[in-house]
Amino acid sequence: MRRTPISDAPLGYRPLYLQVRESVLGRLIEGSWPPGALLPSEHQLASELGVSQGTVRKALDSLAAEHLLVRRQGRGTFVAEVEEGNIVFQFFRLTPDEGERNLPESKVTNISKVTADLAARRALELMPRTFIWRIERTRYVAERATILERIVISTERFPALDRLIPLPTKNLYALYAHRFGVRVGRVEERLKAVAASARDGRALGCAKGTPLLAIERIAYSIDGSRIEWRQSRCLTDAFHYYAELR
Amino acid sequence: MRRTPISDAPLGYRPLYLQVRESVLGRLIEGSWPPGALLPSEHQLASELGVSQGTVRKALDSLAAEHLLVRRQGRGTFVAEVEEGNIVFQFFRLTPDEGERNLPESKVTNISKVTADLAARRALELMPRTFIWRIERTRYVAERATILERIVISTERFPALDRLIPLPTKNLYALYAHRFGVRVGRVEERLKAVAASARDGRALGCAKGTPLLAIERIAYSIDGSRIEWRQSRCLTDAFHYYAELR
DNA sequence: GAGTGGTCTAGACCACAAT
DNA sequence: TTGTGGTCTAGACCACTCC
């Protein structure tokens, strides 16, 4: 962890704290600090890396801002848990118009291992002839079918997923993290309004043609690679998708 | 700008940099630094306020993180412009499936001054018997009607708006900022899928019942008060609403 | 009381932009 | 060359948690 030498070409200049950040992030990616782990104190990290405490602080602060670390005054810095408090809703923006928000239960209606078709390969940047898990779920709110999900993940990253059946009904990302060491750091979502197909209508108990909110999601690992492709269709008569922009 | 005195009750403790932040934010709110203005340097502010440069830095950094200030190394710290670069899209998440993103042109179809009904009063937290502007617009993308907007703002905050007709076709928020000193700092959006009414269908050139993306937005001033209530209905056959969560 | 993160200071040097 | 923000350091003190 030495500063890049000053030369005629300071183009390769990188601030020290970013180097520290990448060092810590690297250890998060390789999994040597699992979720919930206590990191060394700022002073310890500083002396290990040969920088000052303030520089370590700036690196840890930036990782905490992305919810990868949790700082607790008086206790220490921890690797963020996937299932913690309000962070559970970090990637779930569907909110009831009235009442408390809750992660809805789900029932898997189909799970199969197939070769990735073109759409799946594009979505997850997979090579030809790789295999994927294709999971279909129905999510229930107040015992009413409300969301249909089609989830695609590669079998390479998630081998022997079928041995973990029944899958958790609420939070798949906790499973990814704890059983496969794969941590979702960021998701992109693209929303459209679509008409329910006859099949959608049967599954959701609504008429064919009913407007549904279609959400297409790509989930990214903290190392930047694509983890999961998820297509959802939601009844929004009693729900909405909430976004805050600033 | 003095530190709160240390006592038996440090409950009223507020970090110095937050006091500095509020002092600067206060001047932004009262408008003594208009958009584009150059702020005093960190050193100047520090000596004015009787704190160290590092403390001022922390305050300015937090305001820059919310896009209220723009920091330019070598030049200074500026009040953010409303129409600047990619920040134009800060509050506009509708993106074409293919091709470049653009702020769509709009045509005002209706503008009137009426007493606020209950829904408008709730949305904007207005007292009974206050007046509002009600604006209806159609937005066009590639010359095709794509978005219907119903905008509600109070006449108290935006007096004599009718003298500014024709309104700008792209960015209303720049008008709010430059002509009325009202700066949008944050918006909340709630999305649903709805069926096009017969009237929607005529305006958008689609069949009654076509699924539309309905967006309900509340825009907040940087002082936290509610500025604008906007209801949009969008055709999403060639567009999507983009969100990134982290 | 010991240890942690959080704040604050003072001063040095660097990268960048304008002069 | 000057002035700005950006980084880095070293050290002090504060607030919080746990023993």
Side-chain angles (χ1 to χ4, degrees), chain A residues 33 36 51-52 63 121 176 178 210 222 246:
Chain A
W33 288 325
V51 301
S52 81
L63 292 169
R121 294 207 310 271
Y176 295 174
H178 292 127
T210 301
I222 55 175
R246 61 166 67 223

Side-chain angles (χ1 to χ4, degrees), chain A residues 15-17 52 55 58 73-74:
Chain A
L16 251 188
Y17 77 92
S52 81
T55 300
K58 202 166 174 185
Q73 190 174 34

